[in-house]
Amino acid sequence: MAELAIDPDVLERELAAELMGDPLDEIAPDDPEGDALEAVRSCDEGLEWLKQGHDQRLQGLRVFCEHRDPRAVPLLLPLLDETCPVVRMSAVYALGRNPSLQAVEALLRLLQLDSNAYVRKATAWSLGNYPDAPVLNPLIRALQVDVASVRLWASVSLAEAGSTSAVKADLAAGQLLLSLRIDSEPVVRSNCIWALGRLHDLLVKPRQDELVEAFVAALLQDRETTVRDEARTALEQLDNPELVDRLQTLLDEGLLI
């Protein structure tokens, strides 16, 4: 790692910033064709970079962490086996932006076995873009046993993986509820609340009730303000008049700030 020309921490932050939004979703209305053409040119250049040396490959990987182009997939897949963890991590992010069923087996292997937490974190994020693939149980396992940064993204991706059916939603919710109660990291607990809120409408009534009680418990008992705030937001977004009244009662009784 010391011989790399790029700091992995810097690359991690840059990739995270790039993944916050899709530039193709923000094409300027006054010149959509021009911006789309520029994206195509960037992808053409990125494809050539992926075929070259280490530094050029990193440049190409940045392109496909930002843009979607199915032509990149055959060039990205071999990079999942690179010895350099920065290349593996970047390829994983790029395959999250450019989902392909050909990548599922390799991504699941990385989530389970890769020794680098940055790579596993990237994989936990990317698998959220493969909700129809068999990713639910591996993400549940990651949320149970992996390091905090991986658990953080596994909880988010479980919302996507569970969104394809009521059965999957219930399985995902079961682990998210458990992690909300026992996980030591506030940001993971907050993400569990967010993910559960996304799954709420797919759940049967008893599970929905369990979810609401878990949110109320977090609101009243969690030691971290950020988690309590997330719980309150999630309860308010359920748009249930009875819950609104319950929150108001808690406020009137001085149990909420």
Side-chain angles (χ1 to χ4, degrees), residues 88-130:
R88 295 200 307 279
M89 177 188 73
S90 304
V92 168
Y93 277 128
L95 285 164
R97 300 286 287 141
N98 294 269
S100 168
L101 291 179
Q102 300 173 64
V104 172
E105 183 177 351
L107 290 174
L108 291 175
R109 172 175 50 81
L110 291 176
L111 180 64
Q112 181 180 3
L113 299 176
D114 200 286
S115 61
N116 188 282
Y118 281 122
V119 177
R120 299 197 307 278
K121 173 185 174 182
T123 306
W125 174 82
S126 291
L127 288 174
N129 295 295
Y130 292 79

Side-chain angles (χ1 to χ4, degrees), residues 5 19 27 38 49 56 66-67 72 74 77 80 91 102 106 112 124 128-130 137-138 141 169 176 224:
L19 292 170
I27 293 176
E38 182 60 32
W49 281 333
Q56 291 82 7
E66 179 178 343
H67 296 297
L77 290 172
L80 297 177
Q102 300 173 64
Q112 181 180 3
N129 295 295
Y130 292 79
N137 287 331
R141 178 68 174 166
L176 289 164
E224 294 291 337

Side-chain angles (χ1 to χ4, degrees), residues 10 21 30 48 64 89 111 127 153 162 173 198 239 247:
V10 173
D30 56 340
E48 292 304 313
F64 296 108
M89 177 188 73
L111 180 64
L127 288 174
W153 281 111
R198 291 284 302 274
D239 196 24
L247 290 174

Side-chain angles (χ1 to χ4, degrees), residues 23-96:
L24 296 182
D25 292 336
E26 300 177 4
I27 293 176
D30 56 340
D31 188 20
E33 293 184 2
D35 285 352
L37 181 59
E38 182 60 32
V40 171
R41 288 172 177 164
S42 294
C43 289
D44 288 342
E45 192 171 33
L47 290 169
E48 292 304 313
W49 281 333
L50 289 178
K51 300 172 186 176
Q52 299 178 32
H54 176 81
D55 292 342
Q56 291 82 7
R57 282 203 303 271
L58 287 176
Q59 289 295 107
L61 285 165
R62 282 196 180 96
V63 170
F64 296 108
C65 287
E66 179 178 343
H67 296 297
R68 294 188 175 101
D69 190 324
R71 297 177 297 167
V73 171
L75 297 173
L76 295 172
L77 290 172
L79 300 182
L80 297 177
D81 294 318
E82 281 286 318
T83 57
C84 172
V86 176
V87 173
R88 295 200 307 279
M89 177 188 73
S90 304
V92 168
Y93 277 128
L95 285 164

Side-chain angles (χ1 to χ4, degrees), residues 219 227-236 247 251 256-257:
L219 177 61
V227 180
R228 297 197 299 272
D229 290 343
E230 188 70 38
R232 184 169 184 169
T233 297
L235 287 166
E236 291 171 346
L247 290 174
L251 186 63
L256 299 181
I257 299 177

Side-chain angles (χ1 to χ4, degrees), residues 124-125 128 136 138-140 142-144 147-162 172-173 175-177 179-180 183 185-199:
W125 174 82
L136 185 70
L139 287 169
I140 287 174
L143 183 54
Q144 291 172 336
V147 298
S149 61
V150 180
R151 300 199 308 273
L152 184 154
W153 281 111
S155 60
V156 172
S157 290
L158 276 174
E160 302 302 326
Q175 181 58 48
L176 289 164
L177 284 163
S179 294
L180 173 57
D183 200 285
E185 291 294 328
V187 68
V188 176
R189 299 198 300 277
S190 291
N191 276 13
C192 287
I193 292 171
W194 178 88
L196 286 163
R198 291 284 302 274
L199 295 173

